[in-house]
Amino acid sequence: MAAVYPVTDSARPPVGVRAANEYAARPMYASTVWLNDYLDPPASADEQAELLTRAGFPLEDREDVEDGNDVRQDFEMTSNRGDCTCHLGMAREIAALSGRTLKTPDTSVNPTGNRAADVVTVTNDDKEGCPRYTARIIKGVKVGPSPDWLAARLRARGDIPRNNLVDATNYVLFEMGQPTHVFDLAKLKESKIIIRRATKDEPFLPLGEGATEVKLTTDDLVIADADRPVALAGVKGGALTAVDESTVDILVEAATFAPVTVRNTSRRHGIASDSSYRFERGVHPAGIDAAADRLCHLILDLCGGELYEGVVEDGSAIPAPITVTMRTQRCRDILGVEIADETMRESLDLLGFQPKLEAGVLHCTVPSHRMDIVREVDLIEEVARVYGLDRIPIADTLQIRVAAPQARELARTAINNALVGMDFVETITHSLVSEKAADAFLAPGTGPLRVDDERAKSEPVLRPSVVPSLLRVRKHNEDNGVHDLRLFESASTFHAEGNAHVEHIRLGLVMDMPGHDEGIRPMRGVIQRLGEILHGPDATVEFAPIDTLPWLDAGAEVRLNGTSIGWAGTVADHVRMTFDLSVPVLVADIDVHQYYDAFPPDTTARELPHFPAIERDVSAIIDEHVRWQQVASLIESLKPEHLDATEFVTVFRGKQIPKGRKSLTLRVRFRAEDRTLRHEEADGAMNAIMAALADQLGAEIRS
């Protein structure tokens, strides 16, 4: 972390000038003179702007520096190019595109002191959040004003010089892109550095004039001594160990931190810095040592002192360089330009990829600072940048081939169209529901999944079913005077099962119960039609009674061609009251999406019947618990001659019907394939059917 230590200058910076690291970095501010420190021969401000814009970093703004000897330029940075949030990185781009020589900074150091490991210990308890942490010791420094050349470089960027020690850390940050930090060694308790997660509500006072103490969370990564946090990892140094005029011995930190950890901590506490800006874009562990050596070199030159022998560090091993290959013909095909293999090799060599050309394939070793290069197309983009994006032709026309509609899209459209045709209205609802709504629809053996986000507030649970979301929509419409409404939605549902998080896409259906007493048959009819769309006219839908779902009064397991696909039924009164609904509703939660990939179903066309049918209606009083499926199965088991179909007509319950029984009306259809049947031919089959209903189901035949 480059630090802000207000030692000698506490004045408020004027407009256009800021204290280094005082707030979050914006697009990269660069000094023309500073960039030329690394270029041979130097480039004018206009040429720098033209080359960097060509490299993909467009110029946003520019202004003359106050002394008139420099130009401050503001370049836009993409989030994947953390290597160019510094002068050396941008100079590297300019050198590659213009053929200039890149001059690297002097990082030579000469340790003359005792062993650093005898002075300080480093313990890294979170190698995921901090892949590598290094510490160096310098004793006997003298804090004072920075030399003119250093102060001029920082002012040219728009920053305020502080003192030689602080300015050195900021100089390295803006020179090499590696945030560093300097602790007053005398203020570190027991000379310990511990990288760990903060404890709940642990206090931390950040650096900066007017800074206030913050309460940390267990998700925050901190740099601590033996007693307390002394820095917010990757974001901000702490005031308690800041250097001042009396500082003599220092610990120099150079580390890297996980981008997501830094970003979350910065956003959580509203603290941002030039360091967090760079760590969020990625700092490779392999780049730490060169930046730390550069900083020690500057401190020894500017502040004096004695560098102790060795580096005290803890973390994971530095990842080995990765190799990415690029097919030269593939590059030509993608860019549409005939670029020679050797030209591609030279272009990538200029950018430091050490390319080796073998049989039309370039094998490139990716330098550690190019964390954005992971695949072939990334190298193709690099070739394009060096070649010149403006030189790549743009076709006036584009040939496209229209792909056939995907099966899943065809199925989804067919299901949605069918539901709309049955007067259903599609909804799009939020996946979060209240605790009460979620608990009402949790199946036995499952648990809720909660979102740890204060914005969720009263609805912090991911819905275990689409139905509670639809019931909330139904309530809203009821409050606005809408009656006889049908709703559907296909969406994800979530629940916990043991330690596993389970997510499925389900179809939810909600419909008002009709005024006449048909039970859940209207919902069965809807699902039957959906089954026929997915499986053809021979699809069979069964509703098997189930009493293990507490949110249903009359519920059934829904089976399509013998496979369970969900449940349907009447919402229980206590659940309906949870949503404050006055109307009884039928609901269903089914998985039809598993059949989408096989859509459309294989079906066989059949000729229409050549001869008329004979239909006979039967009304029978049966026990309430007897299901229609039992009646239909019984008739089919008799195998009546010429039986064509058995259809449900209606059911009646009233004063004329004994309690605990119901009147079922069904229709039996007979048809011969080769002739017209005579009515007396159906009489025998009907007599057998009525006798079986009476004997096996205890039915009282009314007609």
Side-chain angles (χ1 to χ4, degrees):
M1 283 164 285
V4 183
Y5 307 107
V7 177
T8 59
D9 183 0
S10 61
R12 188 181 187 87
V15 175
V17 180
R18 63 195 179 98
N21 272 353
E22 187 172 343
Y23 50 82
R26 292 165 290 189
M28 178 63 189
Y29 291 102
S31 154
T32 298
V33 173
W34 198 343
L35 277 172
N36 281 329
D37 288 343
Y38 314 107
L39 294 172
D40 184 21
S44 67
D46 289 341
E47 190 174 6
Q48 289 178 7
E50 189 275 328
L51 289 168
L52 287 171
T53 298
R54 174 180 156 190
F57 311 110
L59 180 68
E60 295 285 291
D61 194 13
R62 64 187 296 174
E63 60 180 327
D64 292 333
V65 176
E66 289 76 7
D67 61 10
N69 296 320
D70 202 348
V71 177
R72 179 186 304 124
Q73 302 195 88
D74 175 6
F75 294 98
E76 181 181 345
M77 290 290 120
T78 54
S79 60
N80 66 331
R81 290 303 302 272
D83 62 300
C84 284
T85 57
C86 62
H87 287 79
L88 183 61
M90 290 193 291
R92 187 184 294 112
E93 295 289 311
I94 292 173
L97 294 180
S98 65
R100 287 176 167 81
T101 299
L102 180 69
K103 299 187 295 182
T104 57
D106 188 352
T107 58
S108 61
V109 291
N110 181 28
T112 57
N114 297 325
R115 293 175 66 248
D118 295 335
V119 177
V120 67
T121 61
V122 173
T123 304
N124 188 348
D125 292 334
D126 193 331
K127 294 180 177 61
E128 183 177 346
C130 176
R132 187 172 180 231
Y133 187 99
T134 69
R136 290 166 170 78
I137 300 297
I138 300 178
K139 289 194 172 184
V141 300
K142 183 177 180 180
V143 179
S146 293
D148 291 343
W149 70 267
L150 176 54
R153 294 293 185 274
L154 295 178
R155 287 195 184 96
R157 244 192 57 86
D159 303 314
I160 294 178
R162 296 300 191 185
N163 59 67
N164 51 5
L165 187 56
V166 173
D167 293 348
T169 64
N170 289 320
Y171 183 85
V172 171
L173 170 66
F174 299 127
E175 179 185 50
M176 302 181 73
Q178 168 69 54
T180 57
H181 191 80
V182 178
F183 296 100
D184 188 323
L185 187 60
K187 297 177 182 178
L188 285 174
K189 299 293 183 66
E190 299 181 22
S191 296
K192 289 184 176 181
I193 289 290
I194 303 171
I195 300 95
R196 60 171 174 82
R197 296 287 170 167
T199 59
K200 188 177 186 322
D201 293 330
E202 190 170 19
F204 172 71
L205 180 61
L207 279 164
E209 185 178 357
T212 58
E213 185 177 270
V214 297
K215 298 292 184 182
L216 303 179
T217 74
T218 55
D219 291 325
D220 294 322
L221 186 67
V222 299
I223 312 302
D225 60 15
D227 186 45
R228 69 278 159 95
V230 294
L232 202 52
V235 180
K236 203 74 168 177
L240 299 180
T241 53
V243 300
D244 54 33
E245 297 96 331
S246 63
T247 296
V248 176
D249 302 329
I250 59 172
L251 182 147
V252 177
E253 169 196 283
T256 184
F257 303 101
V260 173
T261 299
V262 174
R263 184 179 302 115
N264 288 343
T265 295
S266 176
R267 304 300 187 272
R268 185 181 300 118
H269 299 291
I271 303 174
S273 63
D274 284 301
S275 296
S276 64
Y277 180 85
R278 283 154 180 81
F279 279 125
E280 287 178 18
R281 283 152 179 77
V283 172
H284 198 284
I288 292 173
D289 291 335
D293 287 341
R294 174 60 169 166
L295 177 58
C296 290
H297 174 91
L298 289 173
I299 290 175
L300 294 174
D301 184 48
L302 301 172
C303 311
E306 184 179 42
L307 175 65
Y308 272 40
E309 184 71 38
V311 177
V312 186
E313 65 176 291
D314 193 7
S316 304
I318 299 175
I322 67 170
T323 299
V324 178
T325 60
M326 185 192 78
R327 296 162 290 175
T328 55
Q329 186 56 47
R330 178 62 174 166
C331 181
R332 284 187 282 268
D333 291 343
I334 291 291
L335 300 182
V337 178
E338 287 298 317
I339 305 176
D341 288 7
E342 182 59 24
T343 301
M344 296 183 196
R345 190 199 66 78
E346 292 174 354
S347 298
L348 294 172
D349 190 45
L350 289 171
L351 293 170
F353 289 98
Q354 305 173 36
K356 295 180 180 179
L357 181 60
E358 296 178 0
V361 177
L362 283 163
H363 302 266
C364 300
T365 301
V366 180
S368 62
H369 61 268
R370 289 305 303 272
M371 298 174 67
D372 58 309
I373 304 297
V374 295
R375 53 186 180 167
E376 181 182 51
V377 72
D378 297 330
L379 291 176
I380 293 175
E381 181 181 359
E382 296 302 295
V383 172
R385 290 195 310 119
V386 176
Y387 178 79
L389 296 174
D390 58 323
R391 297 173 60 193
I392 296 176
I394 300 175
D396 294 330
T397 60
L398 179 65
Q399 291 185 347
I400 62 172
R401 178 177 61 85
V402 179
Q406 296 181 352
R408 295 193 67 84
E409 286 303 308
L410 291 173
R412 183 187 63 81
T413 300
I415 292 294
N416 288 4
N417 287 345
L419 288 169
V420 171
M422 291 183 280
D423 292 332
F424 280 82
V425 177
E426 184 175 11
T427 72
I428 300 176
T429 58
H430 202 283
S431 57
L432 293 175
V433 296
S434 67
E435 295 264 6
K436 185 181 293 186
D439 290 344
F441 286 87
L442 278 171
T446 66
L449 285 177
R450 292 178 175 82
V451 176
D452 185 14
D453 191 327
E454 61 179 12
R455 292 173 296 180
K457 295 183 179 178
S458 62
E459 296 184 335
V461 184
L462 289 166
R463 60 186 171 203
S465 167
V466 186
V467 170
S469 299
L470 295 178
L471 291 178
R472 184 171 58 179
V473 176
R474 183 64 193 95
K475 169 59 179 172
H476 175 76
N477 281 271
E478 180 182 297
D479 291 344
N480 286 273
V482 178
H483 304 290
D484 193 19
L485 183 62
R486 297 182 173 194
L487 303 169
F488 80 95
E489 180 176 356
S490 291
S492 292
T493 63
F494 313 83
H495 66 267
E497 216 169 288
N499 294 325
H501 292 180
V502 181
E503 177 180 353
H504 292 298
I505 298 178
R506 311 280 290 187
L507 173 63
L509 302 169
V510 168
M511 60 188 298
D512 292 0
M513 289 190 68
H516 44 87
D517 187 7
E518 292 188 36
I520 63 175
R521 289 204 61 81
M523 183 63 77
R524 178 187 179 124
V526 171
I527 298 176
Q528 176 71 44
R529 178 60 188 135
L530 301 184
E532 291 170 355
I533 291 172
L534 296 173
H535 275 285
D538 294 329
T540 59
V541 171
E542 298 175 69
F543 272 38
I546 187 171
D547 57 7
T548 58
L549 302 180
W551 55 85
L552 298 178
D553 271 344
E557 178 189 14
V558 181
R559 298 172 185 163
L560 177 57
N561 287 356
T563 300
S564 177
I565 62 171
W567 50 263
T570 308
V571 171
D573 287 341
H574 72 276
V575 176
R576 187 160 53 86
M577 292 301 100
T578 297
F579 293 88
D580 197 23
L581 277 170
S582 63
V583 296
V585 290
L586 298 174
V587 297
D589 182 307
I590 55 177
D591 177 13
V592 293
H593 304 81
Q594 59 182 299
Y595 303 107
Y596 280 10
D597 287 331
F599 188 84
D602 292 330
T603 56
T604 302
R606 300 171 183 170
E607 288 187 2
L608 293 174
H610 293 286
F611 299 97
I614 293 175
E615 294 181 344
R616 298 285 181 85
D617 287 356
V618 177
S619 292
I621 298 175
I622 56 177
D623 288 343
E624 188 69 60
H625 69 270
V626 176
R627 297 184 290 117
W628 163 251
Q629 192 63 43
Q630 293 176 260
V631 176
S633 297
L634 173 60
I635 295 174
E636 289 177 6
S637 69
L638 299 175
K639 298 182 179 179
E641 188 177 10
H642 305 305
L643 178 67
D644 187 60
T646 304
E647 298 175 347
F648 173 88
V649 177
T650 188
V651 67
F652 173 76
R653 298 172 179 86
K655 293 180 180 180
Q656 302 91 332
I657 308 300
K659 186 175 181 181
R661 290 170 71 81
K662 59 188 175 183
S663 177
L664 170 68
T665 300
L666 58 95
R667 179 168 296 144
V668 184
R669 185 166 60 244
F670 300 92
R671 190 194 309 270
E673 295 182 358
D674 57 348
R675 58 191 172 83
T676 300
L677 285 177
R678 299 190 305 273
H679 282 278
E680 54 268 25
E681 290 182 273
D683 291 343
M686 284 303 302
N687 290 334
I689 289 172
M690 290 186 287
L693 292 175
D695 293 341
Q696 299 187 37
L697 298 180
E700 177 186 341
I701 306 301
R702 302 180 64 189
S703 61

